[in-house]
Amino acid sequence: MNNPNKLITFLFFMGLGLNLIFVYFEQGRLYNNFTYGDLSLGPEKYIRSFSVILICLTVILNLFASKKKYLSKIFIAFFLILGFITINYLVTGPGMDDLTGLMDAKGIGPWLAFGLIFTAFDDYRYDLFKKFLVISAITISFFVIYTLIFNGIGLYRGQSLAKYRIFATNLVWITPFVFLISKNNKKLRIISIFLLFIGIASALICVTRSFLLIYLLVLIFDFFHTKKKTGYIIGLVVVGILFLYMLFNTESFSSSYELLAKRGLEDSRSNQLVEFLTQLNFFDIIVGQGFESSYYIDGMEYNILDNQWLKLIWWAGLIPAISYFYLTAYIPLKLFLKKNQDYETKVETFVLIIWTLACAGLAIYTTMSVDFYFFIICIIQGRLLYKYSLRSDIR
């Protein structure tokens, strides 16, 4: 590996490592917001700022190294997204001196960081990245266990979300990949099963139907790619019995299960989408409504939407949304449907398809942002785009 690549790899992992550390503080900020209405951070806010700066610097330096590794249309799609969103922010945003605005989902920061898709062509770096993901899943699982021991779950869902939502959201996008990619690694098999267990437990604690559905899809995918299906079924039964024991013999988990059962058939999004769509006009679809986009439900103003594809069209316009869909959904789906793919590629395409569904409303806590899990998804996606660039038979 030459010196420029060494520098890029160093910045790459420094940025990711600092953002991993910030996951703990981000969860603490969410707890303070739920409990005291306080979103402020202490000096730890600089951990995220520095991590995002390193990530963006990695992207900028790496663009030169990756220019011959990816198809030109992939670069064009990326720069269309970044260009339109930058113009959108400069015209409608709070300004380049507003760090919060820049790092917002409607700011420039997340979309410059999206350039991480161009970092995954290097085999050595990507192999290190997979090992880093195992460490990341273990670290966040430790955060979950630590919180369980010292803070409990909470008496109602709001308290559970306040204590675990950030952990659960990051785990749902890291643990499935680690679990599936490690299935043939005897040294990591027990660890990956344990990590999956913690991920499912955190989803249950937060009473998050979408996360539990994602884990179910992961198990189904894994079952169909397992040769020894009898042993797999026996293992699932054993783990299921353990979960049932926890549900019915642990007061906090029992409360989570009861609330989950009540929410099982609850429709919490249709009214929001109907109200949003009735207020969306043709001009918004073409050019976007901008940074301060909002709509009304029962006279109250909202700037959030539980469908990230519609939200991206709404505030950024049609061109960035189509470009992001092309890179995030269309190409991975083409690879997924192609026969005779190697197992690692199948796992990567599966993760991106789940991400696509999550952005469509399957998982409302999933956003394009400067959060740790988004960076992880970008890198996995980048590996797919690199493989797609090498495959002349499916382009």
Side-chain angles (χ1 to χ4, degrees), residues 250-321:
T250 308
E251 182 178 353
S252 297
F253 275 98
S254 297
S255 300
S256 294
Y257 174 74
E258 290 171 4
L259 182 54
L260 181 67
K262 291 178 181 177
R263 297 186 70 237
L265 298 176
E266 179 184 311
D267 182 2
S268 58
R269 299 170 194 172
S270 294
N271 181 59
Q272 180 196 66
L273 285 175
V274 169
E275 290 293 330
F276 168 76
L277 290 172
T278 58
Q279 298 173 47
L280 188 66
N281 60 54
F282 180 77
F283 186 75
D284 293 339
I285 293 174
I286 300 301
V287 301
Q289 201 178 84
F291 191 86
E292 299 295 341
S293 53
S294 63
Y295 64 103
Y296 293 86
I297 300 178
D298 298 329
M300 296 184 64
E301 187 176 16
Y302 288 84
N303 59 10
I304 59 173
L305 187 67
D306 294 339
N307 185 310
Q308 298 303 311
W309 295 109
L310 286 177
K311 184 178 179 180
L312 184 58
I313 293 173
W314 171 43
W315 71 265
L318 197 58
I319 291 178

Side-chain angles (χ1 to χ4, degrees), residues 82 143 158 168 194 205 216:
L82 183 60
F143 293 159
F194 168 75
I205 290 170
L216 176 61

Side-chain angles (χ1 to χ4, degrees), residues 165-377:
R165 195 190 84 189
I166 303 299
F167 299 152
T169 304
N170 280 277
L171 284 177
V172 83
W173 294 116
I174 299 171
T175 303
F177 181 80
V178 171
F179 172 73
L180 294 173
I181 217 73
S182 304
K183 85 178 263 99
N184 296 319
N185 188 325
K186 293 181 179 180
K187 294 180 180 179
L188 294 176
R189 188 174 297 166
I190 299 300
I191 293 175
S192 64
I193 293 173
F194 168 75
L195 294 174
L196 185 70
F197 183 87
I198 296 296
I200 294 173
S202 66
L204 180 60
I205 290 170
C206 292
V207 198
T208 310
R209 297 167 294 180
S210 56
F211 288 0
L212 291 170
L213 178 57
I214 288 172
Y215 284 116
L216 176 61
L217 293 174
V218 169
L219 291 173
I220 293 172
F221 178 91
D222 190 44
F223 179 76
F224 279 106
H225 290 85
T226 297
K227 294 180 180 178
K228 300 178 180 178
K229 290 183 169 50
T230 302
Y232 195 93
I233 292 172
I234 293 172
L236 284 179
V237 170
V238 172
V239 173
I241 291 172
L242 178 59
F243 257 113
L244 287 174
Y245 177 83
M246 291 172 59
L247 287 176
F248 295 113
N249 292 277
T250 308
E251 182 178 353
S252 297
F253 275 98
S254 297
S255 300
S256 294
Y257 174 74
E258 290 171 4
L259 182 54
L260 181 67
K262 291 178 181 177
R263 297 186 70 237
L265 298 176
E266 179 184 311
D267 182 2
S268 58
R269 299 170 194 172
S270 294
N271 181 59
Q272 180 196 66
L273 285 175
V274 169
E275 290 293 330
F276 168 76
L277 290 172
T278 58
Q279 298 173 47
L280 188 66
N281 60 54
F282 180 77
F283 186 75
D284 293 339
I285 293 174
I286 300 301
V287 301
Q289 201 178 84
F291 191 86
E292 299 295 341
S293 53
S294 63
Y295 64 103
Y296 293 86
I297 300 178
D298 298 329
M300 296 184 64
E301 187 176 16
Y302 288 84
N303 59 10
I304 59 173
L305 187 67
D306 294 339
N307 185 310
Q308 298 303 311
W309 295 109
L310 286 177
K311 184 178 179 180
L312 184 58
I313 293 173
W314 171 43
W315 71 265
L318 197 58
I319 291 178
I322 290 175
S323 300
Y324 185 67
F325 186 85
Y326 171 71
L327 296 177
T328 307
Y330 178 74
I331 291 178
L333 185 60
K334 282 186 70 175
L335 285 166
F336 186 77
L337 296 176
K338 184 69 177 177
K339 295 180 179 179
N340 301 321
Q341 295 283 12
D342 63 275
Y343 177 70
E344 183 175 279
T345 302
K346 289 180 181 179
V347 172
E348 292 160 349
T349 54
F350 173 73
V351 170
L352 263 295
I353 289 170
I354 297 299
W355 174 263
T356 299
L357 294 174
C359 289
L362 176 63
I364 63 172
Y365 300 127
T366 294
T367 60
M368 294 75 102
S369 58
V370 291
D371 290 308
F372 183 67
Y373 64 85
F374 179 63
F375 297 156
I376 300 305
I377 291 295

Side-chain angles (χ1 to χ4, degrees), residues 378-391:
C378 289
I379 296 161
I380 296 172
Q381 179 179 351
R383 188 64 175 182
L384 276 180
L385 295 174
Y386 171 62
K387 291 176 180 178
Y388 177 77
S389 298
L390 297 177
R391 295 285 297 271

Side-chain angles (χ1 to χ4, degrees), residues 148-161:
L148 272 172
I149 294 172
F150 291 99
N151 297 314
I153 290 177
L155 299 177
Y156 56 92
R157 186 173 185 243
Q159 289 183 334
S160 299
L161 288 171

